[in-house]
Amino acid sequence: MTRLLPTDINDIPTGIEKYDLELKRKTGSSLKDIAIIASGLEKANLEEAVLRVAVIPVSVGLGPISGFSAAVNAIASHIGFDSYVTGLPDVGGLDEAFRNEADIVMMADDYLFAAFNLQDRQVVSNDEATARGYVTALSCMAGSLCKKFVLLTGAGRLGILAADLLADRQTKLIIYDPDRSREKELAEKIIEKYGATVFTGMELPEALNRCEAVFDASPGCAFIKGDYIKSGTLVAAPGMPLGLDAEAYAKVAERIIHDPLQIGVATMLYCSLAVHRS
Ligand code: 2YC
């Protein structure tokens, strides 16, 4: 995932209600429902006390991103957690979280964004939660991904996690990465683990023509062109920047799930509870 910009996230707190309505319209499920399904907690008893989340700004490296903690906090609050941003960053924030009896702590440096469940020492990274949340959302939007041709773009950290979850749903995977050795390596891993059907070696236009859905796990910007994507294609496009160009986005506007943080953050929180109630 690339480093977010303030302009990517500044309107999350004021836009979260509208965002959730749009997500429900497209997938049939709310943000909270998608996070619960993605975490495998559909049948768990979650009617316990409201859990307290402390979001801690982190100043190391490139430093805080204006609006980042506020956005994470707004998402956590929206799905029903008792969430707040600590007054101090870094160690001071962690000290405050413990003294305030936080149940879950969320913080991000330039390399890792994670949720730490202080009750049972469960940790969840944004990458794994984003992969789970977005595959779940795509599956809700598609009804089922079984036997469907799904194009996965990007064989990096997020793509590797998503490939596993997509193969586990018996999708017919097409894997595309400009680095063909990385593409092949991931395909071989999936074939070995699932005995699945995995297609590689395609050029992007052909892959877009063959697939029914796209999971864009690449850091690329606007490389999926309007000319090549079929208007009925379902698209899951986690994070920034968006891999579709403006024309492609317009063609699939009603069938694309794309956000900078919402699904990943909501899924991190429920995944951090999963060990407790599985
Ligand atoms: O504001 C802060 O506390 C900063 N330390 C946060 C830095 C987050 C850097 N990571 C990213 O922008 C992206 C996010 C989508 C999560 C993972 N990478």
Side-chain angles (χ1 to χ4, degrees), residues 79-90:
I79 59 175
F81 288 83
D82 166 19
S83 183
Y84 75 107
V85 180
T86 57
L88 290 171
D90 310 324

Side-chain angles (χ1 to χ4, degrees), residues 1-4 57-58 63-65 68-69 108-110 113 126 260-261:
M1 307 281 267
T2 46
R3 183 175 169 85
L4 290 168
V58 172
I65 298 175
F68 179 79
S69 296
D109 62 15
D110 298 338
F113 175 21
N126 177 258
L261 274 177

Side-chain angles (χ1 to χ4, degrees), residues 131-178:
R132 287 184 182 283
Y134 263 85
V135 168
T136 297
L138 185 63
S139 190
C140 289
M141 190 159 66
S144 161
L145 290 175
C146 182
K147 302 273 182 286
K148 290 223 171 67
F149 278 96
V150 180
L151 166 59
L152 171 68
T153 54
R157 261 188 343 214
L158 185 60
I160 290 166
L161 291 164
D164 205 82
L165 294 165
L166 289 165
D168 197 30
R169 281 168 171 74
Q170 291 84 47
T171 61
K172 289 183 181 159
L173 259 185
I174 304 169
I175 299 178
Y176 171 83
D177 190 303

Side-chain angles (χ1 to χ4, degrees), residues 24-259:
K24 193 159 169 60
R25 182 162 48 76
K26 289 180 176 177
T27 67
S29 298
S30 68
L31 177 60
K32 176 172 179 173
D33 293 343
I34 285 170
I36 288 173
I37 297 165
S39 314
L41 291 172
E42 272 171 291
K43 298 184 177 48
N45 166 20
L46 293 172
E47 302 314 316
E48 290 159 32
V50 173
L51 292 173
R52 175 164 298 171
V53 175
V55 179
I56 305 176
V58 172
S59 62
V60 297
L62 297 173
I65 298 175
S66 163
F68 179 79
S69 296
V72 173
N73 182 50
I75 296 161
S77 302
H78 175 73
I79 59 175
F81 288 83
D82 166 19
S83 183
Y84 75 107
V85 180
T86 57
L88 290 171
D90 310 324
V91 179
L94 199 51
D95 173 81
E96 187 184 320
F98 270 81
R99 294 177 195 281
N100 263 0
E101 296 172 349
D103 301 299
I104 301 169
V105 162
M106 300 185 88
M107 54 176 124
D109 62 15
D110 298 338
Y111 306 98
L112 177 62
F113 175 21
F116 303 87
N117 180 327
L118 306 184
Q119 288 175 328
D120 39 28
R121 305 213 317 260
Q122 179 76 0
V123 58
V124 182
S125 75
N126 177 258
D127 279 347
E128 58 189 304
T130 297
R132 287 184 182 283
Y134 263 85
V135 168
T136 297
L138 185 63
S139 190
C140 289
M141 190 159 66
S144 161
L145 290 175
C146 182
K147 302 273 182 286
K148 290 223 171 67
F149 278 96
V150 180
L151 166 59
L152 171 68
T153 54
R157 261 188 343 214
L158 185 60
I160 290 166
L161 291 164
D164 205 82
L165 294 165
L166 289 165
D168 197 30
R169 281 168 171 74
Q170 291 84 47
T171 61
K172 289 183 181 159
L173 259 185
I174 304 169
I175 299 178
Y176 171 83
D177 190 303
D179 175 342
R180 294 300 188 178
S181 61
R182 232 167 50 150
E183 175 184 295
K184 202 102 194 74
E185 191 184 334
L186 177 53
E188 278 155 14
K189 251 181 64 181
I190 294 295
I191 291 166
E192 190 191 327
K193 182 170 176 182
Y194 291 96
T197 320
V198 182
F199 299 86
T200 55
M202 288 190 203
E203 291 308 316
L204 199 52
E206 182 196 356
L208 286 165
N209 186 45
R210 292 279 299 273
C211 73
E212 298 160 83
V214 176
F215 190 106
D216 177 25
S218 76
C221 178
F223 68 97
I224 295 177
K225 305 295 183 194
D227 285 351
Y228 301 130
I229 194 163
K230 296 176 295 188
S231 51
T233 307
L234 304 177
V235 180
M240 303 302 282
L242 178 59
L244 280 70
D245 71 4
E247 193 189 328
Y249 182 84
K251 281 177 85 169
V252 299
E254 280 311 296
R255 279 171 298 286
I256 181 170
I257 304 161
H258 167 60
D259 69 42

